[in-house]
């Protein structure tokens, strides 16, 4: 049996810098009540489940609607369970995210899949450039993504951009828009996580005068604002379930109906969406509509996390330093501070905040020096520290904020109230100093931008 390491060795082609050669594979499906079927798979991504929109559809009711995917990546054949009801098993071991060996037996529900790698080669194009618009990286993972972006940007296709927080999903949306025929039109961002649930429909589709209390005149929504250009739906996984059918109709028909209106308006809009969630898992959980998912995911772009493109670290460090330091001599001196040992330490970090975390670290290095910034640990505060109502308040409350204490309220209840007051006051002042710029405010608070937006939403800011 061929081991995973030898498969990876055969998958990577070091000759042609424009071509990545991978392998095809066989998948024999043994489904109860039906004859065995043998599939030869050449696609780089295969979705399996009972929904008709899957690449491979099974009729076994014990299989989830979107059960698992097999993705051909630089590191091998990756199997990802999509939060299925009863799990995915590889050689009798339940897995959530794993790389397959040369041969493997996969079980989903009562159906078995026998996986076998073929010697047949597939060719995946790689871009020669080390950038695409504002995106930077010369790693194979990034150049593979650039090649896909070059193909889809000139089209009018709807695109779903999926990646972890801090990977640059909004930059990718901007790059697609800039490389499209709509580049001269508006690029409108609608952040589904930053708007109060009661205002989402109005912000997205607009409203007529008198549609609700405070609606003193007609106002167009983001879809109308993006007419002739591109609408970017950021954090689409945060969109409430009751609003999803309305968005589905708008995306399908390219028409909107404002709150309080009986008329629809046609809009010429290209839709891009992004999420850091596993939307197919959300479909299985019933928190995201399958029809909307497939309408948004006409084309899918997976953004590699920083830990999968560590060879890009020197290029990114130089980029962030050059943005902050205009003097060439000072820039060269700062670059020289990052030695081989420093990059070795950087490669060992988990990079949960991805490129955003690296940018924060580089900015810290300008003040502290490279060695001290790297040794100081992650500049991102763990969100868990802010979710515990019993978190000590001594440091947070010292000096800057003073609130009256109600002893009669009980210790834990009063601590919880004080923490909420502190968080709200801190966020209000931070937003004011950042002039409403969420990215700038999140950086100053040393928080992940997505978590920062959830805090704002929690307090209605």
């Amino acid at each position: 049996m061929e081991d995973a390491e030898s498969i990876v060795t055969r998958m990577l082609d070091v000759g042609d810098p424009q071509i990545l050669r991978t392998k095809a594979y066989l998948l024999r499906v043994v489904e109860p009540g039906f004859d065995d079927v043998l599939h030869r798979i050449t696609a780089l991504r295969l979705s399996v489940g009972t929904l008709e929109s899957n690449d491979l559809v099974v009729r076994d009711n014990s299989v989830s609607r979107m059960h698992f995917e097999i993705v051909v990546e630089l590191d091998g054949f990756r199997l990802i369970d999509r939060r299925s009801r009863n799990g995915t098993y590889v050689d009798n071991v339940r897995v959530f995210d794993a790389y397959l060996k040369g041969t493997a037996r996969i079980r989903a529900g009562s159906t078995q899949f026998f996986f076998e790698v073929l010697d047949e080669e597939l060719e995946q194009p790689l871009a020669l450039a080390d950038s695409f618009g504002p995106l930077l990286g010369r790693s194979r993972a990034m150049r593979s993504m650039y090649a896909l972006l070059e193909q889809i940007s000139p089209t009018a296709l709807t695109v779903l951009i999926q990646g972890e927080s801090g990977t640059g999903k909004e930059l990718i949306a901007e790059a697609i828009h800039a490389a499209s025929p709509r580049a001269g039109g508006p690029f409108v961002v609608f952040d589904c996580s930053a708007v109060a649930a009661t205002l989402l429909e109005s912000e997205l589709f607009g409203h007529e005068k008198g549609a609700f209390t405070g609606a003193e005149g007609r106002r167009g929504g983001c879809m109308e604002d993006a007419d002739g250009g591109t609408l970017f739906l950021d954090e689409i996984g945060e969109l409430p379930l009751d609003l999803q059918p309305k968005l589905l109709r708008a995306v399908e028909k390219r028409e909107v109906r404002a709150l309080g209106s009986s008329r629809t308006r046609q809009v010429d809009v290209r839709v891009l969406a992004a999420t850091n969630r596993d939307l197919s898992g959300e479909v299985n959980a019933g928190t995201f509509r399958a029809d909307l998912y497939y309408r948004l995911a006409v084309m899918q772009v997976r953004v590699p996390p920083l830990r999968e493109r560590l060879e890009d670290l020197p290029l990114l460090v130089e980029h962030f330093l050059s943005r902050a330091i205009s003097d060439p001599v000072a820039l060269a001196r700062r670059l020289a501070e990052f030695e081989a040992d420093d990059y070795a330490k950087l490669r060992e970090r988990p990079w949960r905040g991805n490129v955003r975390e690296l940018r924060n670290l580089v900015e810290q290095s300008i003040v502290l020096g490279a060695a001290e910034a790297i040794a100081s640990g992650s500049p991102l505060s763990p969100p868990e520290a802010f979710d515990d109502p019993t978190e000590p308040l001594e440091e947070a409350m010292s000096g800057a904020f003073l609130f009256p204490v109600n002893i009669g309220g009980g210790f834990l209840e009063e601590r919880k109230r004080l923490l909420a007051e502190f968080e709200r006051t801190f966020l209000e002042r931070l937003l004011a100093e950042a002039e409403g710029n969420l990215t700038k405010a999140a950086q100053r608070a040393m928080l992940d931008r997505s978590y920062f937006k959830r805090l704002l939403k929690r307090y209605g800011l």
Side-chain angles (χ1 to χ4, degrees), residues 55-341:
D55 302 312
L56 198 161
V57 180
V58 295
R59 293 147 292 189
D60 178 1
N61 290 332
S62 62
V63 172
S64 295
R65 294 186 292 175
M66 302 172 71
H67 202 104
F68 68 85
E69 286 186 340
I70 297 177
V71 185
V72 182
E73 295 186 350
L74 299 180
D75 293 329
F77 299 90
R78 183 182 179 191
L79 184 143
I80 307 168
D81 179 84
R82 292 307 187 189
R83 289 170 58 187
S84 59
R85 294 192 308 271
N86 47 19
T88 302
Y89 294 80
V90 176
D91 297 333
N92 293 323
V93 177
R94 184 169 185 175
V95 301
F96 298 93
D97 193 334
Y99 284 96
L100 300 171
K101 298 180 294 186
T103 60
R105 180 168 60 88
I106 305 166
R107 179 167 60 83
S110 301
T111 300
Q112 297 193 71
F113 306 81
F114 293 89
F115 171 89
E116 180 183 354
V117 179
L118 298 174
D119 287 332
E120 177 185 352
E121 285 191 340
L122 307 174
E123 292 188 348
Q124 179 183 356
L126 296 177
L128 277 176
D130 59 6
S131 65
F132 185 85
L135 306 169
L136 281 178
R138 58 174 64 100
S139 61
R140 285 176 178 262
M142 290 299 286
R143 290 193 293 124
S144 175
M145 185 179 71
Y146 298 160
L148 177 61
L149 296 179
E150 289 171 357
Q151 290 180 300
I152 65 178
S153 294
T155 72
L157 294 175
T158 304
V159 181
L160 178 63
I161 305 166
Q162 300 183 88
E164 298 176 9
S165 294
T167 50
K169 297 184 290 295
E170 186 170 339
L171 286 180
I172 290 173
E174 292 174 1
I176 292 173
H177 172 71
S180 75
R182 296 172 175 267
F187 177 78
V188 177
V189 178
F190 181 78
D191 191 332
C192 300
S193 68
V195 180
T198 54
L199 298 176
L200 275 169
E201 186 172 358
S202 170
E203 291 293 318
L204 193 52
F205 305 125
H207 62 257
E208 297 292 340
K209 180 179 180 180
F212 52 84
T213 303
E216 298 178 353
R218 185 188 180 277
R219 181 182 180 279
C222 286
M223 289 203 75
E224 283 190 55
D225 294 341
D227 194 20
T230 302
L231 175 64
F232 175 50
L233 300 171
D234 197 9
E235 304 293 354
I236 188 65
E238 305 288 339
L239 193 69
L241 195 59
D242 60 349
L243 192 55
Q244 291 177 22
K246 298 176 182 178
L247 177 61
L248 174 64
R249 287 195 296 272
V251 173
E252 281 187 332
K253 299 181 179 181
R254 294 299 194 270
E255 64 180 27
V256 295
R257 185 170 68 181
L259 273 174
S261 175
S262 58
R263 296 187 304 110
T264 59
R265 290 182 171 83
Q266 292 294 130
V267 288
D268 175 23
V269 173
R270 183 182 189 178
V271 176
L272 310 176
T275 181
N276 60 6
R277 292 191 178 192
D278 175 13
L279 279 195
S280 52
E282 301 286 339
V283 171
N284 285 332
T287 56
F288 201 88
R289 291 177 60 106
D291 47 7
L292 178 57
Y293 170 81
Y294 281 107
R295 191 65 192 86
L296 295 174
V298 177
M299 293 295 299
Q300 297 185 57
V301 175
R302 178 184 176 271
V303 192
L306 184 56
R307 60 184 173 275
E308 293 182 8
R309 46 178 294 221
L310 295 176
E311 59 266 51
D312 290 332
L313 283 172
L315 181 67
L316 293 170
V317 167
E318 181 177 357
H319 170 69
F320 291 131
L321 281 175
S322 64
R323 284 177 50 182
I325 303 173
S326 57
D327 179 54
V329 176
L331 174 60
R333 186 170 62 250
R334 288 296 184 185
L335 281 171
E337 290 183 0
F338 283 86
E339 300 176 349
D341 289 346

Side-chain angles (χ1 to χ4, degrees), residues 358-373:
L358 176 63
R359 182 190 62 197
N360 289 353
L361 184 146
V362 172
E363 291 175 353
Q364 281 188 342
S365 75
I366 297 173
V367 178
L368 303 176
E372 188 171 345

Side-chain angles (χ1 to χ4, degrees), residues 17-32:
Q18 288 186 273
I19 298 294
L20 173 67
R21 290 184 172 86
T22 61
K23 298 291 181 179
Y25 60 93
L26 291 177
L27 203 62
R28 181 164 65 92
V29 183
V30 182
E31 193 175 358

